[in-house]
mmCIF file with all atom_site columns, all heavy atoms in Angstrom:
data_model
loop_
_atom_site.group_PDB
_atom_site.id
_atom_site.type_symbol
_atom_site.label_atom_id
_atom_site.label_alt_id
_atom_site.label_comp_id
_atom_site.label_asym_id
_atom_site.label_entity_id
_atom_site.label_seq_id
_atom_site.pdbx_PDB_ins_code
_atom_site.Cartn_x
_atom_site.Cartn_y
_atom_site.Cartn_z
_atom_site.occupancy
_atom_site.B_iso_or_equiv
_atom_site.pdbx_formal_charge
_atom_site.auth_seq_id
_atom_site.auth_comp_id
_atom_site.auth_asym_id
_atom_site.auth_atom_id
_atom_site.pdbx_PDB_model_num
ATOM 1  N N   . TRP A 1 64  ? -5.784  -4.808 6.878  1.00 93.00 ? 86  TRP A N   1
ATOM 2  C CA  . TRP A 1 64  ? -5.763  -4.855 8.338  1.00 93.00 ? 86  TRP A CA  1
ATOM 3  C C   . TRP A 1 64  ? -4.382  -5.288 8.789  1.00 93.00 ? 86  TRP A C   1
ATOM 4  O O   . TRP A 1 64  ? -3.891  -6.338 8.379  1.00 93.00 ? 86  TRP A O   1
ATOM 5  C CB  . TRP A 1 64  ? -6.819  -5.820 8.871  1.00 93.00 ? 86  TRP A CB  1
ATOM 6  C CG  . TRP A 1 64  ? -6.831  -5.959 10.368 1.00 93.00 ? 86  TRP A CG  1
ATOM 7  C CD1 . TRP A 1 64  ? -6.944  -4.944 11.275 1.00 93.00 ? 86  TRP A CD1 1
ATOM 8  C CD2 . TRP A 1 64  ? -6.732  -7.160 11.130 1.00 93.00 ? 86  TRP A CD2 1
ATOM 9  N NE1 . TRP A 1 64  ? -6.928  -5.437 12.560 1.00 93.00 ? 86  TRP A NE1 1
ATOM 10 C CE2 . TRP A 1 64  ? -6.794  -6.807 12.502 1.00 93.00 ? 86  TRP A CE2 1
ATOM 11 C CE3 . TRP A 1 64  ? -6.610  -8.510 10.791 1.00 93.00 ? 86  TRP A CE3 1
ATOM 12 C CZ2 . TRP A 1 64  ? -6.733  -7.751 13.529 1.00 93.00 ? 86  TRP A CZ2 1
ATOM 13 C CZ3 . TRP A 1 64  ? -6.542  -9.443 11.809 1.00 93.00 ? 86  TRP A CZ3 1
ATOM 14 C CH2 . TRP A 1 64  ? -6.607  -9.059 13.164 1.00 93.00 ? 86  TRP A CH2 1
ATOM 15 N N   . GLU A 1 65  ? -3.745  -4.458 9.613  1.00 89.00 ? 87  GLU A N   1
ATOM 16 C CA  . GLU A 1 65  ? -2.428  -4.760 10.155 1.00 89.00 ? 87  GLU A CA  1
ATOM 17 C C   . GLU A 1 65  ? -2.521  -4.692 11.676 1.00 89.00 ? 87  GLU A C   1
ATOM 18 O O   . GLU A 1 65  ? -2.419  -3.620 12.269 1.00 89.00 ? 87  GLU A O   1
ATOM 19 C CB  . GLU A 1 65  ? -1.382  -3.784 9.625  1.00 89.00 ? 87  GLU A CB  1
ATOM 20 C CG  . GLU A 1 65  ? 0.003   -3.928 10.245 1.00 89.00 ? 87  GLU A CG  1
ATOM 21 C CD  . GLU A 1 65  ? 0.507   -5.354 10.234 1.00 89.00 ? 87  GLU A CD  1
ATOM 22 O OE1 . GLU A 1 65  ? 0.862   -5.828 9.150  1.00 89.00 ? 87  GLU A OE1 1
ATOM 23 O OE2 . GLU A 1 65  ? 0.515   -5.979 11.310 1.00 89.00 ? 87  GLU A OE2 1
ATOM 24 N N   . PRO A 1 66  ? -2.777  -5.848 12.333 1.00 89.00 ? 88  PRO A N   1
ATOM 25 C CA  . PRO A 1 66  ? -3.004  -5.825 13.785 1.00 89.00 ? 88  PRO A CA  1
ATOM 26 C C   . PRO A 1 66  ? -1.813  -5.333 14.591 1.00 89.00 ? 88  PRO A C   1
ATOM 27 O O   . PRO A 1 66  ? -1.991  -4.794 15.689 1.00 89.00 ? 88  PRO A O   1
ATOM 28 C CB  . PRO A 1 66  ? -3.329  -7.291 14.109 1.00 89.00 ? 88  PRO A CB  1
ATOM 29 C CG  . PRO A 1 66  ? -2.752  -8.076 12.985 1.00 89.00 ? 88  PRO A CG  1
ATOM 30 C CD  . PRO A 1 66  ? -2.859  -7.205 11.783 1.00 89.00 ? 88  PRO A CD  1
ATOM 31 N N   . ASN A 1 67  ? -0.596  -5.498 14.073 1.00 85.00 ? 89  ASN A N   1
ATOM 32 C CA  . ASN A 1 67  ? 0.572   -5.008 14.797 1.00 85.00 ? 89  ASN A CA  1
ATOM 33 C C   . ASN A 1 67  ? 0.688   -3.488 14.746 1.00 85.00 ? 89  ASN A C   1
ATOM 34 O O   . ASN A 1 67  ? 1.409   -2.885 15.539 1.00 85.00 ? 89  ASN A O   1
ATOM 35 C CB  . ASN A 1 67  ? 1.847   -5.634 14.229 1.00 85.00 ? 89  ASN A CB  1
ATOM 36 C CG  . ASN A 1 67  ? 1.919   -7.121 14.493 1.00 85.00 ? 89  ASN A CG  1
ATOM 37 O OD1 . ASN A 1 67  ? 1.476   -7.589 15.533 1.00 85.00 ? 89  ASN A OD1 1
ATOM 38 N ND2 . ASN A 1 67  ? 2.450   -7.869 13.544 1.00 85.00 ? 89  ASN A ND2 1
ATOM 39 N N   . PHE A 1 68  ? -0.012  -2.891 13.805 1.00 87.00 ? 90  PHE A N   1
ATOM 40 C CA  . PHE A 1 68  ? -0.045  -1.425 13.734 1.00 87.00 ? 90  PHE A CA  1
ATOM 41 C C   . PHE A 1 68  ? -1.159  -0.885 14.615 1.00 87.00 ? 90  PHE A C   1
ATOM 42 O O   . PHE A 1 68  ? -0.950  -0.067 15.503 1.00 87.00 ? 90  PHE A O   1
ATOM 43 C CB  . PHE A 1 68  ? -0.229  -0.971 12.291 1.00 87.00 ? 90  PHE A CB  1
ATOM 44 C CG  . PHE A 1 68  ? -0.559  0.481  12.159 1.00 87.00 ? 90  PHE A CG  1
ATOM 45 C CD1 . PHE A 1 68  ? 0.387   1.445  12.470 1.00 87.00 ? 90  PHE A CD1 1
ATOM 46 C CD2 . PHE A 1 68  ? -1.814  0.891  11.744 1.00 87.00 ? 90  PHE A CD2 1
ATOM 47 C CE1 . PHE A 1 68  ? 0.068   2.798  12.373 1.00 87.00 ? 90  PHE A CE1 1
ATOM 48 C CE2 . PHE A 1 68  ? -2.125  2.235  11.633 1.00 87.00 ? 90  PHE A CE2 1
ATOM 49 C CZ  . PHE A 1 68  ? -1.179  3.182  11.953 1.00 87.00 ? 90  PHE A CZ  1
ATOM 50 N N   . ARG A 1 69  ? -2.374  -1.347 14.357 1.00 88.00 ? 91  ARG A N   1
ATOM 51 C CA  . ARG A 1 69  ? -3.545  -0.920 15.143 1.00 88.00 ? 91  ARG A CA  1
ATOM 52 C C   . ARG A 1 69  ? -4.623  -1.971 14.954 1.00 88.00 ? 91  ARG A C   1
ATOM 53 O O   . ARG A 1 69  ? -5.194  -2.096 13.865 1.00 88.00 ? 91  ARG A O   1
ATOM 54 C CB  . ARG A 1 69  ? -4.012  0.465  14.688 1.00 88.00 ? 91  ARG A CB  1
ATOM 55 C CG  . ARG A 1 69  ? -5.069  1.098  15.592 1.00 88.00 ? 91  ARG A CG  1
ATOM 56 C CD  . ARG A 1 69  ? -5.311  2.542  15.204 1.00 88.00 ? 91  ARG A CD  1
ATOM 57 N NE  . ARG A 1 69  ? -6.410  3.114  15.934 1.00 88.00 ? 91  ARG A NE  1
ATOM 58 C CZ  . ARG A 1 69  ? -6.329  3.626  17.160 1.00 88.00 ? 91  ARG A CZ  1
ATOM 59 N NH1 . ARG A 1 69  ? -5.173  3.631  17.779 1.00 88.00 ? 91  ARG A NH1 1
ATOM 60 N NH2 . ARG A 1 69  ? -7.385  4.136  17.764 1.00 88.00 ? 91  ARG A NH2 1
ATOM 61 N N   . TRP A 1 70  ? -4.930  -2.715 15.999 1.00 90.00 ? 92  TRP A N   1
ATOM 62 C CA  . TRP A 1 70  ? -5.798  -3.886 15.863 1.00 90.00 ? 92  TRP A CA  1
ATOM 63 C C   . TRP A 1 70  ? -7.216  -3.526 15.454 1.00 90.00 ? 92  TRP A C   1
ATOM 64 O O   . TRP A 1 70  ? -7.937  -4.342 14.849 1.00 90.00 ? 92  TRP A O   1
ATOM 65 C CB  . TRP A 1 70  ? -5.830  -4.682 17.171 1.00 90.00 ? 92  TRP A CB  1
ATOM 66 C CG  . TRP A 1 70  ? -6.571  -3.989 18.286 1.00 90.00 ? 92  TRP A CG  1
ATOM 67 C CD1 . TRP A 1 70  ? -6.059  -3.163 19.223 1.00 90.00 ? 92  TRP A CD1 1
ATOM 68 C CD2 . TRP A 1 70  ? -7.980  -4.065 18.548 1.00 90.00 ? 92  TRP A CD2 1
ATOM 69 N NE1 . TRP A 1 70  ? -7.038  -2.702 20.061 1.00 90.00 ? 92  TRP A NE1 1
ATOM 70 C CE2 . TRP A 1 70  ? -8.238  -3.251 19.669 1.00 90.00 ? 92  TRP A CE2 1
ATOM 71 C CE3 . TRP A 1 70  ? -9.040  -4.745 17.955 1.00 90.00 ? 92  TRP A CE3 1
ATOM 72 C CZ2 . TRP A 1 70  ? -9.509  -3.094 20.203 1.00 90.00 ? 92  TRP A CZ2 1
ATOM 73 C CZ3 . TRP A 1 70  ? -10.320 -4.582 18.480 1.00 90.00 ? 92  TRP A CZ3 1
ATOM 74 C CH2 . TRP A 1 70  ? -10.549 -3.775 19.588 1.00 90.00 ? 92  TRP A CH2 1
ATOM 75 N N   . ASN A 1 71  ? -7.665  -2.312 15.777 1.00 92.00 ? 93  ASN A N   1
ATOM 76 C CA  . ASN A 1 71  ? -9.060  -1.932 15.534 1.00 92.00 ? 93  ASN A CA  1
ATOM 77 C C   . ASN A 1 71  ? -9.196  -0.970 14.357 1.00 92.00 ? 93  ASN A C   1
ATOM 78 O O   . ASN A 1 71  ? -10.146 -0.196 14.289 1.00 92.00 ? 93  ASN A O   1
ATOM 79 C CB  . ASN A 1 71  ? -9.670  -1.300 16.782 1.00 92.00 ? 93  ASN A CB  1
ATOM 80 C CG  . ASN A 1 71  ? -8.858  -0.114 17.292 1.00 92.00 ? 93  ASN A CG  1
ATOM 81 O OD1 . ASN A 1 71  ? -7.722  0.099  16.882 1.00 92.00 ? 93  ASN A OD1 1
ATOM 82 N ND2 . ASN A 1 71  ? -9.453  0.667  18.169 1.00 92.00 ? 93  ASN A ND2 1
ATOM 83 N N   . ARG A 1 123 ? 3.981   4.216  16.332 1.00 80.00 ? 145 ARG A N   1
ATOM 84 C CA  . ARG A 1 123 ? 4.038   3.387  15.137 1.00 80.00 ? 145 ARG A CA  1
ATOM 85 C C   . ARG A 1 123 ? 3.601   4.172  13.913 1.00 80.00 ? 145 ARG A C   1
ATOM 86 O O   . ARG A 1 123 ? 2.782   5.081  14.012 1.00 80.00 ? 145 ARG A O   1
ATOM 87 C CB  . ARG A 1 123 ? 3.154   2.139  15.305 1.00 80.00 ? 145 ARG A CB  1
ATOM 88 C CG  . ARG A 1 123 ? 3.533   1.297  16.502 1.00 80.00 ? 145 ARG A CG  1
ATOM 89 C CD  . ARG A 1 123 ? 2.553   0.157  16.715 1.00 80.00 ? 145 ARG A CD  1
ATOM 90 N NE  . ARG A 1 123 ? 1.172   0.607  16.888 1.00 80.00 ? 145 ARG A NE  1
ATOM 91 C CZ  . ARG A 1 123 ? 0.690   1.092  18.025 1.00 80.00 ? 145 ARG A CZ  1
ATOM 92 N NH1 . ARG A 1 123 ? 1.477   1.237  19.082 1.00 80.00 ? 145 ARG A NH1 1
ATOM 93 N NH2 . ARG A 1 123 ? -0.575  1.462  18.117 1.00 80.00 ? 145 ARG A NH2 1
#
Side-chain angles (χ1 to χ4, degrees):
W86 178 55
E87 174 50 73
N89 293 325
F90 168 69
R91 190 171 173 83
W92 71 268
N93 55 346
R145 302 174 303 281

